[in-house]
Each structure stands twice: as C-alpha cells, then as structure tokens.
Amino acid sequence: MSTPANFPGEPDSSPEIAREFGLVSEEWERVLSTLSRLPSYAELGVISVMWSEHCSYKSSRVHLARLPTTGPQVVQGPGENAGAVDIGDGFCAVFKMESHNHPSYIEPYQGAATGVGGILRDVFTMGARPVASLNSLRFGRPDHPRTPQLLKGVVAGIGGYGNCIGVPTVGGEVQFDTSYDGNILVNAFTVGIAKTEDLFFGVAEGIGNPIIYVGAKTGRDGIHGATMASAEFGEETDSKLPTVQVGDPFMEKLLLEACLEIFATDCLSGVQDMGAAGLTSSSVEMADRAGNGIELDLDAIPRRTKALSPYEMLLSESQERMLMVAKAGREQEVFDICAKWDLDASIVGRVTDTGRFVCNATPGYDPFDGTGEPNPVVVVDLPVDLLTNAAPKYDRPQQGRAKGATLFTMAGDAPEDLGAELVRLIGSPNIGSRAWIWRQYDHIVRNGTVIRPGDGDAAVIRAFCEDASGTREKFLAVSVDCNGRHVELDPYAGAAMAVAECTRNIVCVGAKPLGLTDCLNFGNPKVPEQMWRFSQAIDGLAAACSALGAPVVSGNVSLYNETDGKAILPTPTVAVVGQLEDPDHRLGLGFLSEGDVIAHLGRPSRGVLGGSEWLVQHSGSDTGAPVGIDLDAEAELQHAMLDLARKKLLRSAHDISDGGFAVALAESCIAHGHGARVSLPSSEDAPAHALLFSEEPTRILVSLSASKVGEVGDVCARYGVPFEKIGTVSGQTVAIEGVCEVPVEELAESHASALDAIVS
C-alpha cells in the first residue's frame, strides 16, 4: 500500500471539493477515517462516483432486497450486467432496462442515443446477441415550450442509434405530465439471445491475467456523468452539458460483432462494458465480484484527447468501450479479432490478489502526441471493498401521506355528449396514436418482428437460436409499462398495477411471462415522503411479481428526478419478457371479422375514476385514488387468458387500461376499421361516463367466433373469471347502447392526430 500522489496541476483534496463531487460531510469523514490520510484528487473522484446513488444504490439497496429474484426459469438474477431467463433447448433471453434521464434533458439526441448504446452493451457483454429494444419516455405538459424539442430530439436519438446498429425498436410507451416539465425520463430496454452455457460475466478472475481495453478511445465526454445523474437539477442545469456522453452507433456495431467473435474463442475469463463511471466502475465491479484486486497502467489507455489526467481517464464515460480479462497467453486472439474489426485494443493492467484498486500513471507523459517518457507513479490505491460493499447504505426516514384520499367517480357535472368525450380522449397526447414515434424506428430489421408496434398489447419477435444442431425459432413477447398517476395516489397499488398491466399485455398476445426488469424513477430520497413512495412501490412490485410469476432479474434505480425541489410523478417502470409456445397462439388487439362476438373478461367495473386520464383532463390534477388491485383475481384472469390463447379460442384480445373501456373498444375497432355494437359490461351502479373511462385493472376485451362462446365460457368458469358477452363486431360505428354512437373513421382521425400539436 502506497500514498498516491496528485498529478501536476491538481489540487489537494478538501471538504469543499468532496462536496462538489457529491459527498456529504459524514462521507468525507468516513473516507479520511478509512484511509488514515488525505485521498489523492483522482482517488476522491473514484470514491465519489462509486458512492453516488447511480453506482452504489446507497438509498435503495435496503429496499431492493425485498424484491423476488428467483424462480425455476431464472438463469441469472440481479447483480450482473443483465438478467437472463430460460427459453428452452439450452438458450436464454438476456435483458435489462436502464435510465438516461438527466443526460437526455440536457442534450436530448445524445442523451437518448447513448442510453440505447449503453443498454445494448449491457446485453451483449453477457454474450447475447441483441434482438429487440423498447423504450419508456416521459415528457412535460404538451404545451410546455421545451416539450417539442425534447420529444423530437429523444426520438431522433433512439432511432439514430438503434437503426444504425441494426436492432429493431419494436415498441414502447410515452406519457406527458406537468411533473416532467423540468426532468424528462428516458428508459431504454434491450433483450438478446444467448446459449445458457456460454453466458459471460463481469469478473476479474485469474491472478496475473491481463486486462485489455477494447473499443473507442477515451476522451473527456461524460466525466462525472454518474454523479450528475445522482443530483437534482437547478438553475445550473445547462452548465452540465460536458457530463453528457457522445455516441457512435457504427463503432458500437463493430464492438458488438468483435465481442461476440472473441467470446466464441473462449479466451476470456471476464468482461464488462464501461458504462456509468467508465473505467473505474468496470474495473472495480469486476474485481469485487471475483474477490480480487486490479492494477491499471493508465499510460496505456488509448485516448483521443491531449493531456488527459488520471482523474479524467478514470471518470470519463466515453462510449463504445469494453474491459476484458483474457486468459494468460491468449491475448493475441483478442488483438487479432479487434484488428479485423478495426478496433483499438491495449493491455492496460492485470488481475492481482491484493483486493485493492491500484492505478499508475506518468506525470507529463502523453502518448497522444508523444510527449514525455513512461515513468509511472501510483495515483490511486484503494481497497476494492471500500468502493463496493463498504459504500454507504442508508435506510432513510419515511413519512407516509395523511389518510383521507377518497374514491370517487366524477369531478363536477357529468358530460352531456359522451361520444364527443370519447373522440377527444382518444385523440389526446396520452392516449392517441404513437405512429409518429415508431415510424422513425426500424422495427422490422433482421426479419424477426411478428407483432409490430400498434398491432398488439405487446410486441412479438421471432428469435433465431443457432447451435451445432441447427437453428431453432423462439417467439418472445416484450412490453413496458407504468402509470405514474396511479403510483402517485397509491404507491403500493400503483406499482402493483404497473406489473399487472405489463404481464396482462404479455398474456393478451398469447405469451407466458418469464421475468421482469425495472427502472425505478423517483425524486429526492432525502425527502421522507419521496422515500416512503419508493418503499411502498417496492412492496407493491414485490407482491405483484410473486403473484403473477414474473421475478425481477435485473433493473435500475434513478433518484433525484426533480428540479428546484419539484419531483416527477413516481414512475417505477417495468418491462416483461414472455414466451409463446407456438406462434399460432398470438393475438392482436384489433377486431377481425363482422359478426364476431365481443366479450368482457374479468372483474366488473365500479366506475372509479381516480387517477384516470379522463379525470386528470377534467380536474387539471391527479385526484381521488386508484381502485387498487386484487392480485389473486388478476392472476386468475391472466391464467385464463393464456389458456384461451393456447386453445386458439379467441380472435383478438386487448387489455383495458389507459382511457378505460371506451378507449379499449375504440382502439380495437380502429385497428382494422370495423365497428362494434355493444352494451356496457355489468357493473355496480355508477354514471355512464365513469364506466366508460375508469382505468380499473383486471379486465380484458376479447372477440371470438360465435361458435366458441361455450368453450370460452367454460375455460373462464374453470378459473373463476367473469365472462360476459356484450355485443358483436358490426357496422362502421362504435355504438354503446344507451350511451353514444361514433363513426370509426372519426375516432381514427382523432387518434392519428394525437401528437400533431406537439411535433408539427
């Protein structure tokens, strides 16, 4: 153990610099006590990023432990670059979701693009070829002056990166709310396919094994990006632009192909992408998982910028970079493949048995322009454990909201023209068509997209699984969801409803849910009510995941999503991966043929409008409380729905969620231009508009041939699920008996123009 030196021009560490780097006074004192000396400037930078919320999860770890993470289908749970679930025949689906919220608000194109690049690397670092991506987006109110620029920039960034690398973006969601005016959300998801026995892990194994840097050169972009993502915004937001990374999808494509080729040689003992906190986090996390140490030679780091200091090299978040641990004597195999793909590769360190993170560099030496000669000194010497397991962990104070929020069905007078209400609602930005967005994404590249955006409640993709015996086709369903309004009003029930809606989307296309990844977007954890929301949401997620058979295999926490003390709606976004036994089991959301019976599956509505889009539009704020969810009833509905799909008894299925029954019915009509004549499903006594627009869960709208009514009823009865015929596919209008009748064409025009006012 040595006493590291500051580089020329670097200041001595101090409490003031520690605060600037995001450490509170108690954490600074803990550093001094542990080291028994002042840390070097580079060491302080390393500690600050590894102790940030983004890397250490110091405010959330105590709560995340309550999530269910195991099951017979789970191949890899949380703790690695991505999670994995079994899909049969020795193959697994590898997937994860990550946030890139703060960078996307500062610079929407690059923030969103590098978010896509980062999640792709998380997946192919595991040895999986990415096959599909999703995104979940949140923006401020539609008439906010920055919303058009942010929406256009984020969508262009997602499309620009995903389209170039050749991975289809097959779906997603977007919502607008005043709470996101100063802090948008950009959550990116990717799923890939790998042979289970060939998964790779982020471990630095094998004492003496060489550590190889592969990919793009290091620059100054993204320095302290992890720290920036762990703080709320204020007046200085625009000054944070240098913390945003810059992506190159063509470089990522080369890196992807090179990595998969290197993995196939079995010349590595570990690999990790350089994501948040760059070289520091990748090195430290690999060493920690293996229980080893790492020594880095920073003089050997490939660079594209002059005069980079150790601090800058260690904290840079330049994109498209990997850190590999090669088996001793097999380095040349890595170099040869990297040369083939025109990638930089350099030995930058070795695995040690010291349990320490040691970095050496030469003052005045700059290989970029040939200045100086290598004569390295120690600039970082820290215990790995200090940066990982011994990082601060807080069980922060919580303060629940006062009791008294009431369930109610209306605010003010009921509307007179319910047909006009439906036309307006289905054309609103939070309900209407997202075609303007997904048409900018290549959602059919690689010829694997079976259910495209807008055609079903979830996307369905065909994944080609290749091994020595040939190629097998696996059919996966993917969906992403969350309704922050319901979580705001009841964090436990709202989070459970997010899981239920996502898994319900999966079964509505005929797939069985296998696993879940989450992206937990909340405000300042130091605010007791925010921490209470987070804790309650964790419990809601845990209960729903257990009840619905979707264990959490990976995820991300994004805190401090607020500006000048105003937090976003709590948004625990979830994405679920499911699998179809047979592609012929798949179902779309649209009515297919005249004369088909339309039926309602699930619990009768009570007409509760709390948290609904209709009520928010009429009252101007989130009011009431969501109805909550009966997870046993939800599980029965989903089991019945999956059984019906496997028996091929249905023609279409569409879950009732945002906008309620009326919107679900209209969307099923719009899909193929068919009308419907129905009566409102049986319900408790409530006004018609409440029954039309309530967003209560555990309900599915289906269509079926008249000859199948008896069989469908029998299946539902076996699961204890209410089944009610409510009408037929007929004509060119949406006709709800005694309520309204609206031409499908009028609804379709309104639906299609939902985003026009923002993007035109």
Side-chain angles (χ1 to χ4, degrees):
M1 183 171 60
S2 57
T3 301
N6 286 332
F7 242 48
E10 292 179 338
D12 291 333
S13 296
S14 67
E16 292 74 25
I17 295 175
R19 280 196 299 273
E20 181 184 333
F21 286 0
L23 298 180
V24 298
S25 58
E26 294 82 0
E27 292 169 347
W28 167 249
E29 293 298 330
R30 184 172 167 186
V31 170
L32 297 181
S33 174
T34 302
L35 298 181
S36 299
R37 60 173 173 81
L38 273 177
S40 70
Y41 187 77
E43 286 180 323
L44 185 55
V46 165
I47 294 168
S48 69
V49 293
M50 293 306 298
W51 284 13
S52 68
E53 290 283 2
H54 198 75
C55 293
S56 75
Y57 289 18
K58 58 188 176 185
S59 297
S60 56
R61 276 186 290 166
V62 66
H63 302 287
L64 296 175
R66 301 199 297 273
L67 293 172
T69 59
T70 60
Q73 71 272 39
V74 176
V75 173
Q76 175 63 53
E80 267 293 340
N81 290 291
V85 293
D86 180 55
I87 58 173
D89 298 315
F91 290 89
C92 61
V94 179
F95 58 97
K96 190 181 182 184
M97 184 161 52
E98 280 271 8
S99 63
H100 231 222
N101 304 336
H102 285 42
S104 298
Y105 182 78
I106 297 168
E107 209 300 301
Y109 184 95
Q110 290 296 348
T114 52
V116 173
I119 200 63
L120 287 166
R121 288 195 302 280
D122 280 339
V123 168
F124 72 74
T125 298
M126 298 284 290
R129 179 173 289 280
V131 295
S133 292
L134 302 172
N135 53 76
S136 175
L137 311 176
R138 297 291 185 276
F139 298 95
R141 61 186 188 274
D143 59 353
H144 189 279
R146 280 208 69 189
T147 295
Q149 174 228 353
L150 291 169
L151 175 61
K152 292 176 183 179
V154 165
V155 170
I158 292 170
Y161 207 100
N163 296 352
C164 290
I165 202 170
V167 176
T169 301
V170 296
E173 58 153 9
V174 60
Q175 294 288 313
F176 302 86
D177 187 88
T178 302
S179 70
Y180 305 106
D181 280 352
N183 202 127
I184 66 173
L185 303 184
V186 175
N187 295 174
F189 163 95
T190 292
V191 60
I193 301 298
K195 291 182 67 175
T196 302
E197 64 180 17
D198 292 340
L199 284 177
F200 275 79
F201 303 102
V203 291
E205 291 185 335
I207 306 306
N209 276 348
I211 298 169
I212 304 178
Y213 174 119
V214 173
K217 292 178 170 64
T218 295
R220 289 193 172 91
D221 49 319
I223 293 173
H224 262 300
T227 307
M228 178 268 292
S230 305
E232 63 183 82
F233 282 154
E235 294 180 357
E236 78 292 350
T237 297
D238 290 343
S239 69
K240 296 179 182 287
L241 185 60
T243 63
V244 178
Q245 308 92 330
V246 178
D248 181 348
F250 300 105
M251 174 68 77
E252 179 114 334
K253 175 63 173 175
L254 299 177
L255 185 62
L256 186 161
E257 299 299 339
C259 283
L260 295 181
E261 189 171 336
I262 291 168
F263 297 163
T265 68
D266 194 32
C267 68
L268 301 182
S269 63
V271 61
Q272 178 93 358
D273 81 293
M274 294 189 223
L279 182 61
T280 291
S281 65
S282 55
S283 304
V284 168
E285 289 172 5
M286 292 177 80
D288 177 67
R289 293 189 188 113
N292 289 325
I294 276 184
E295 184 171 348
L296 295 179
D297 175 13
L298 299 182
D299 290 346
I301 299 294
R303 59 196 79 183
R304 55 179 166 81
T305 304
K306 289 184 178 182
L308 285 175
S309 70
Y311 165 87
E312 292 170 324
M313 284 185 279
L314 288 167
L315 271 62
S316 168
E317 294 182 9
S318 294
Q319 298 291 286
E320 294 89 38
R321 303 181 300 162
M322 288 282 183
L323 205 61
M324 299 180 177
V325 179
K327 295 176 181 177
R330 302 190 65 179
E331 303 90 325
Q332 193 59 45
E333 295 173 61
V334 177
F335 296 149
D336 290 345
I337 293 172
C338 288
K340 169 186 172 182
W341 291 98
D342 198 24
L343 293 172
D344 280 302
S346 175
I347 294 177
V348 296
R350 62 187 180 90
V351 180
T352 70
D353 61 1
T354 64
R356 302 187 71 82
F357 179 52
V358 178
C359 304
N360 304 307
T362 301
Y365 174 62
D366 192 350
F368 183 89
D369 58 9
T371 303
E373 294 292 334
N375 184 23
V377 298
V378 176
V379 293
V380 172
D381 188 349
L382 298 169
V384 168
D385 188 67
L386 173 68
L387 304 173
T388 54
N389 300 316
K393 181 165 68 173
Y394 300 118
D395 188 356
R396 297 195 186 276
Q398 300 179 35
Q399 176 62 57
R401 190 169 40 233
K403 301 293 184 181
T406 58
L407 297 176
F408 61 92
T409 58
M410 58 185 293
D413 297 329
E416 294 182 3
D417 188 343
L418 291 174
E421 287 292 297
L422 176 55
V423 172
R424 180 189 59 77
L425 189 62
I426 203 166
S428 63
N430 278 342
I431 300 291
S433 172
R434 274 75 180 106
W436 178 87
I437 296 176
W438 57 255
R439 282 175 180 161
Q440 297 182 58
Y441 303 152
D442 190 338
H443 50 273
I444 58 173
V445 66
R446 298 183 64 83
N447 194 33
T449 308
V450 178
I451 293 183
R452 300 182 182 186
D455 291 344
D457 281 4
V460 174
I461 56 171
R462 177 194 299 110
F464 302 98
C465 302
E466 300 177 1
D467 61 14
S469 63
T471 301
R472 301 175 182 84
E473 292 183 352
K474 302 287 184 180
F475 291 84
L476 303 180
V478 289
S479 180
V480 60
D481 234 302
C482 183
N483 188 320
R485 298 188 304 268
H486 292 298
V487 185
E488 170 72 15
L489 297 174
D490 185 337
Y492 180 96
M497 288 166 65
V499 175
E501 183 176 348
C502 211
T503 53
R504 198 183 317 125
N505 288 337
I506 296 295
V507 300
C508 279
V509 297
K512 176 184 178 181
L514 296 178
L516 176 146
T517 182
D518 57 44
C519 201
L520 308 179
N521 307 276
F522 286 79
N524 187 340
K526 297 176 183 177
V527 176
E529 188 169 325
Q530 293 291 344
M531 203 66 243
W532 171 78
R533 287 190 178 97
F534 183 88
S535 178
Q536 288 287 300
I538 288 289
D539 290 338
L541 293 174
C545 288
S546 296
L548 303 175
V552 179
V553 299
S554 60
N556 170 241
V557 176
S558 176
L559 302 178
Y560 293 98
N561 288 290
E562 56 183 74
T563 301
D564 295 328
K566 182 180 180 182
I568 62 165
L569 289 175
T571 313
T573 307
V574 297
V576 173
V577 173
Q579 184 175 12
L580 288 84
E581 290 181 349
D582 185 325
D584 289 339
H585 296 164
R586 70 188 185 274
L587 290 163
L589 62 81
F591 297 144
L592 295 176
S593 300
E594 285 273 327
D596 280 351
V597 171
I598 300 171
H600 178 278
L601 307 185
R603 304 187 68 183
S605 171
R606 293 195 296 161
V608 177
L609 284 169
S612 67
E613 180 66 23
W614 184 88
L615 188 57
V616 168
Q617 290 190 18
H618 276 259
S619 67
S621 63
D622 299 321
T623 53
V627 69
I629 184 168
D630 181 335
L631 289 172
D632 291 335
E634 182 71 42
E636 291 163 353
L637 173 65
Q638 294 192 17
H639 291 150
M641 180 64 227
L642 191 54
D643 199 357
L644 291 168
R646 289 171 173 171
K647 289 181 168 65
K648 304 179 184 178
L649 295 175
L650 302 178
R651 303 269 284 157
S652 70
H654 188 20
D655 88 305
I656 297 173
S657 54
D658 293 355
F661 168 80
V663 165
L665 179 66
E667 289 172 340
S668 293
C669 290
I670 290 169
H672 301 297
H674 292 293
R677 303 196 70 82
V678 303
S679 57
L680 281 170
S682 299
S683 64
E684 298 186 13
D685 186 27
H689 75 284
L691 298 176
L692 288 178
F693 305 127
S694 170
E695 296 177 3
E696 296 158 278
T698 319
R699 300 182 294 158
I700 299 173
L701 194 66
V702 301
S703 65
L704 57 149
S705 299
S707 62
K708 302 293 185 182
V709 169
E711 292 177 82
V712 172
D714 289 344
V715 170
C716 290
R718 195 156 59 246
Y719 288 95
V721 171
F723 166 68
E724 181 182 2
K725 294 187 298 178
I726 60 172
T728 59
V729 178
S730 176
Q732 294 297 309
T733 64
V734 174
I736 304 174
E737 184 180 358
V739 176
C740 65
E741 184 168 359
V742 185
V744 173
E745 184 177 358
E746 183 179 354
L747 290 166
E749 289 176 356
S750 179
H751 185 253
S753 63
L755 299 180
D756 286 359
I758 304 174
V759 300
S760 62

